[in-house]
Amino acid sequence: MTENKIRKFYIETYGCQMNFSDSEIVASILTDGGFQASGNLQEADIVLLNTCSIREHAEDRVRKRLHYFRSLKKKNPGLTIGLLGCMAERTKFALMEEEQLLDVIAGPDSYRHLPGLLEQAGSGQRAIDTILSADETYADINPVRLDSNGISSFISIMRGCENFCSYCVVPYARGQERSRDPETVIRESRDLFIQGYREVTLLGQNVNSYFWKEGNETVNFPGLLERIAVLDPQLRVRFATSHPKDLSLEVIEIIEKYPNICKAIHLPVQSGSDKILDKMNRKYTREEYLGKIRTIRSKIPGCAISTDIITGFCDETEEDHKQTLELMKEAAFDFAFTFKYSERPQTIAAEQYEDNVPAPVKERRLREIIELQQELSSASNHRDLGETFEVLIEGESKRSDKQYFGRNSQNKVMVFPKTSLKPGEYVKVKVKRVTSATLIGEAI
Ligand code: SF4
């Protein structure tokens, strides 16, 4: 390596949208620090894995990937390997001890120090920084858009979480909740629009508790949503994730008011049983949750509602499981992310409860939940037959170069024959056929 060679970095991202957004922040910090982004693993001098700890499965995937990197490092001993994100924060020195190939470990609030940590690792000293911050929001960082389609983009508006759901590592891995200066969010949204982007998704672990105060001025989540919605009617706004206890009537009314705020709400319920919700420390009851669903359905007809469900949590009985299935039917979810409970170290559930639902029972309950959700999703898609939606064209369909794909406001994928319009433009599409995952139509 010559002295002045610019070192190239390659980032692999695991887990949630927040992590993808963080990888863009990391790319920006490293680019400013004199490193160069590369989309090619084989030519990289530095490989960074931005990891997720939310489920055991997510960590297992990273560990498997590290085995592969071990072989790469054998061929190229100069390769620097870094672990970022929640798994780095959770495991700290332990993983570095275990995985001798790791040169750098950086937690979610340490990314500004990455150039220095990588320099240190480049000179042969392993480097670690997992100090959590009470105020880091990376508000001033202009993210480098990685793997971007140039049409939709994520914007982090807050970091951390203080809800302490008993099964969740996030409050430990990402620290306390803090919101980003609204002016920086508005500026980033405006810049993206000027560059041709037509959709932004505002991200946070719990966006509804977004709150900014400076002097006498305060901005809450509906206020921020409104300020972005008015930038331009051609800019679609989405957000994720909402905690049911914090989804206010004010937010629902703002979504209803602006056509460019997408009619899709992700509202993780996790369980339909009050006993389990209490044990999960979710801070709402089944009835309160269903009340919010009824409000959304009455105020915003046609709004898609998706959810997350965890099955097999500690002490979950058949009766609790049945209540989850019944709640799913009553809520008529359009889509659901479904998981088997897996114990995460350091959480309240791991320390205080017994993971006592046998694996085959968890698997069977998960199957029943998935089967029911497939019926609900199919019914939701069939309700769209004959309807016309405004679709933001995202690109060519993977199946045919004669077709476009895009999404409607409800976040459903729609496929239709190409028109003279281009990706990034809006088109009205009438639904002619549906599959379990896609609406197939024609531009009108
Ligand atoms: S709201 Fe609960 S599940 Fe979501 S990140 Fe916070 S602690 Fe985890």
Side-chain angles (χ1 to χ4, degrees), residues 203-233:
L203 293 179
Q205 304 295 346
N206 181 11
V207 286
N208 291 286
S209 59
Y210 174 92
F211 188 76
W212 176 261
K213 185 170 189 330
E214 195 163 47
N216 291 330
E217 196 208 357
T218 58
V219 181
N220 62 5
F221 182 59
L224 180 70
L225 209 47
E226 182 159 35
R227 286 173 71 175
I228 296 169
V230 298
L231 286 176
D232 195 293

Side-chain angles (χ1 to χ4, degrees), residues 269 272 286-295 297 305 309 322-334 372-373 376 383:
V269 66
R286 167 194 179 89
E287 196 38 47
E288 282 162 355
Y289 182 89
L290 286 169
K292 302 240 170 175
I293 299 284
R294 285 192 287 272
T295 308
R297 297 259 185 246
I305 304 178
I309 295 172
K322 256 192 224 148
Q323 288 181 22
T324 299
L325 296 174
E326 278 159 22
L327 180 138
M328 289 171 69
K329 286 185 212 156
E330 198 169 335
F333 293 120
D334 297 271
L372 173 58
Q373 186 53 49
L376 295 173
R383 281 195 295 275

Side-chain angles (χ1 to χ4, degrees), residues 161 163-165 167-168 170-171 205 243 282:
C161 182
N163 284 315
F164 290 95
C165 299
Y167 53 82
C168 184
V170 167
Q205 304 295 346
H243 192 301
R282 291 290 288 173

Side-chain angles (χ1 to χ4, degrees), residues 144-158:
V144 169
R145 307 290 164 189
L146 300 166
D147 296 330
S148 168
N149 62 1
I151 294 163
S152 38
S153 187
F154 298 120
I155 301 180
S156 288
I157 61 166
M158 60 192 301

Side-chain angles (χ1 to χ4, degrees), residues 114-401:
L114 263 177
L117 296 170
L118 290 170
E119 289 304 337
Q120 187 181 325
S123 65
Q125 255 182 296
R126 300 166 88 198
I128 179 163
D129 184 345
T130 54
I131 296 169
L132 287 174
S133 154
D135 48 23
E136 177 63 271
T137 60
Y138 300 109
D140 56 315
I141 307 277
N142 202 2
V144 169
R145 307 290 164 189
L146 300 166
D147 296 330
S148 168
N149 62 1
I151 294 163
S152 38
S153 187
F154 298 120
I155 301 180
S156 288
I157 61 166
M158 60 192 301
R159 300 180 73 80
C161 182
E162 288 166 16
N163 284 315
F164 290 95
C165 299
S166 62
Y167 53 82
C168 184
V169 289
V170 167
Y172 313 95
R174 291 194 163 251
Q176 71 191 73
E177 190 176 288
R178 58 229 113 111
S179 296
R180 182 175 160 188
D181 181 339
E183 291 309 324
T184 66
V185 179
I186 292 160
R187 195 184 320 129
E188 191 173 331
S189 306
R190 191 185 295 117
D191 288 349
L192 284 166
F193 185 75
I194 291 167
Q195 288 165 37
Y197 285 80
R198 291 296 173 262
E199 185 176 273
V200 292
T201 303
L202 309 181
L203 293 179
Q205 304 295 346
N206 181 11
V207 286
N208 291 286
S209 59
Y210 174 92
F211 188 76
W212 176 261
K213 185 170 189 330
E214 195 163 47
N216 291 330
E217 196 208 357
T218 58
V219 181
N220 62 5
F221 182 59
L224 180 70
L225 209 47
E226 182 159 35
R227 286 173 71 175
I228 296 169
V230 298
L231 286 176
D232 195 293
Q234 293 286 304
L235 181 68
R236 273 184 175 179
V237 190
R238 298 187 187 276
F239 58 90
T241 290
S242 295
H243 192 301
K245 77 176 165 56
D246 298 317
L247 182 76
S248 63
L249 184 60
E250 198 186 349
V251 172
I252 294 170
E253 286 173 347
I254 290 288
I255 300 171
E256 181 195 3
K257 183 172 170 191
Y258 291 94
N260 59 329
I261 301 182
C262 289
K263 307 301 179 247
I265 299 178
H266 185 64
L267 203 60
V269 66
Q270 310 301 8
S271 170
S273 151
D274 280 341
K275 180 190 93 188
I276 297 297
L277 288 173
D278 186 47
K279 217 169 171 105
M280 287 175 161
N281 194 28
R282 291 290 288 173
K283 304 184 187 88
Y284 53 84
T285 62
R286 167 194 179 89
E287 196 38 47
E288 282 162 355
Y289 182 89
L290 286 169
K292 302 240 170 175
I293 299 284
R294 285 192 287 272
T295 308
I296 297 168
R297 297 259 185 246
S298 70
K299 291 256 174 207
I300 320 171
C303 184
I305 304 178
S306 54
T307 198
D308 294 343
I309 295 172
I310 298 173
T311 191
F313 189 64
C314 316
D315 289 345
E316 186 190 72
T317 61
E318 282 308 309
E319 180 51 34
D320 297 319
H321 170 59
K322 256 192 224 148
Q323 288 181 22
T324 299
L325 296 174
E326 278 159 22
L327 180 138
M328 289 171 69
K329 286 185 212 156
E330 198 169 335
F333 293 120
D334 297 271
F335 188 78
F337 296 95
T338 55
F339 310 95
K340 277 182 294 186
Y341 171 63
S342 65
E343 190 174 88
R344 308 307 301 123
Q346 296 152 7
T347 57
I348 299 163
E351 311 226 317
Q352 296 179 13
Y353 307 145
E354 198 188 337
D355 181 9
N356 53 4
V357 178
V361 175
K362 284 182 186 172
E363 270 149 32
R364 194 250 309 149
R365 288 181 188 165
L366 182 64
R367 259 195 326 274
E368 289 174 6
I369 286 170
I370 291 171
E371 278 165 19
L372 173 58
Q373 186 53 49
Q374 280 168 346
E375 283 171 28
L376 295 173
S377 299
S378 167
S380 159
N381 281 359
H382 277 89
R383 281 195 295 275
D384 293 337
L385 270 173
E387 298 289 331
T388 299
F389 294 98
E390 182 169 73
V391 174
L392 175 59
I393 307 172
E394 290 183 35
E396 209 167 74
S397 153
K398 280 190 196 121
R399 297 231 171 129
S400 162
D401 60 4

Side-chain angles (χ1 to χ4, degrees), residues 408-422:
N408 64 8
S409 176
Q410 288 75 4
N411 212 16
K412 289 187 181 177
V413 174
M414 298 190 68
V415 174
F416 52 96
K418 276 185 177 171
T419 68
S420 57
L421 295 168
K422 301 267 174 311

